[in-house]
Amino acid sequence: MRILSLLLLVLGLASFAPGPKLITAKLPGLTVGVPEGFAPLPDDGIAAKYPAARKPLAVYSSPNGRADYSVAVRPTDFQTPDYNVLLQIYKASIQRLYSKVDFIKQEVRQVHGHDFVSFEFVTTVVDARRGDQLAPIRKYQAVQYTVVKDQMYVFTFDAPAAEQAQWQPVAQAVMGAINLK
């Protein structure tokens, strides 16, 4: 009985543990919560890690460079979107990008008064182009999409799938700390 009481006490105290510490970062038209210890990637680091026609608005990386949080903005034709339709469109898009996708969460949610299409998932990429197969690459990702006027905002947190337990609460906190103006 004493062991059960002690176990309940420890579990109760653990439930009051503070969440991940976030630092507020101001970006054009919004503020985001960035995990403490993450640093902004310089332009050349962004270009090397995220080669694309449109550079993300900002990318923050963990001290060891294994986890990233990025914010991207791009024009969109969705003026007054139906977020449930966007959920299906972006789910299909995510599934086409990877060899395998295991969805943890897929929903339309509100964050500080704005609707978001929100996903959490683990991806697997298998490179079978050569005769000698390379080991699959697995990543944990949390992604949110929202539309403001004629702009689509995309918030992405990614980390190695092997570190999901460590990064999942951080990703969830980051996705809940988006404030659009």
Side-chain angles (χ1 to χ4, degrees), residues 65-155:
R66 294 172 54 91
D68 289 331
Y69 175 46
S70 67
V71 180
V73 181
R74 60 180 177 251
T76 185
D77 291 330
F78 297 112
Q79 295 297 316
T80 53
D82 178 338
Y83 282 90
N84 289 311
V85 171
L86 285 180
L87 178 85
Q88 298 308 315
I89 291 170
Y90 283 108
K91 178 180 180 181
S93 178
I94 290 166
Q95 289 172 314
R96 281 193 306 273
L97 289 173
Y98 303 100
S99 305
K100 181 181 176 190
V101 181
D102 295 315
F103 286 96
I104 300 164
K105 186 188 312 179
Q106 51 186 316
E107 65 184 358
V108 175
R109 65 182 284 215
Q110 277 216 343
V111 177
H112 300 287
H114 288 275
D115 287 331
F116 287 83
V117 171
S118 181
F119 297 99
E120 269 188 87
F121 50 93
V122 174
T123 60
T124 304
V125 175
V126 178
D127 184 4
R129 292 178 293 176
R130 302 185 207 178
D132 58 320
Q133 272 194 331
L134 300 173
I137 298 170
R138 298 186 71 238
K139 287 217 164 237
Y140 162 75
Q141 296 184 52
V143 182
Q144 284 190 164
Y145 304 87
T146 193
V147 175
V148 177
K149 297 181 183 167
D150 59 348
Q151 299 291 309
M152 171 72 72
Y153 287 81
V154 183
F155 304 87

Side-chain angles (χ1 to χ4, degrees), residues 12-73:
L13 291 175
S15 68
F16 290 110
K21 179 120 172 85
L22 302 179
I23 307 301
T24 300
K26 293 183 183 202
L27 301 171
L30 70 151
T31 59
V32 294
V34 176
E36 186 173 53
F38 276 46
L41 281 181
D43 286 344
D44 58 337
I46 293 173
K49 207 167 188 180
Y50 296 92
R54 276 195 193 95
K55 179 180 89 141
L57 188 58
V59 178
Y60 302 92
S61 193
S62 65
N64 65 7
R66 294 172 54 91
D68 289 331
Y69 175 46
S70 67
V71 180
V73 181

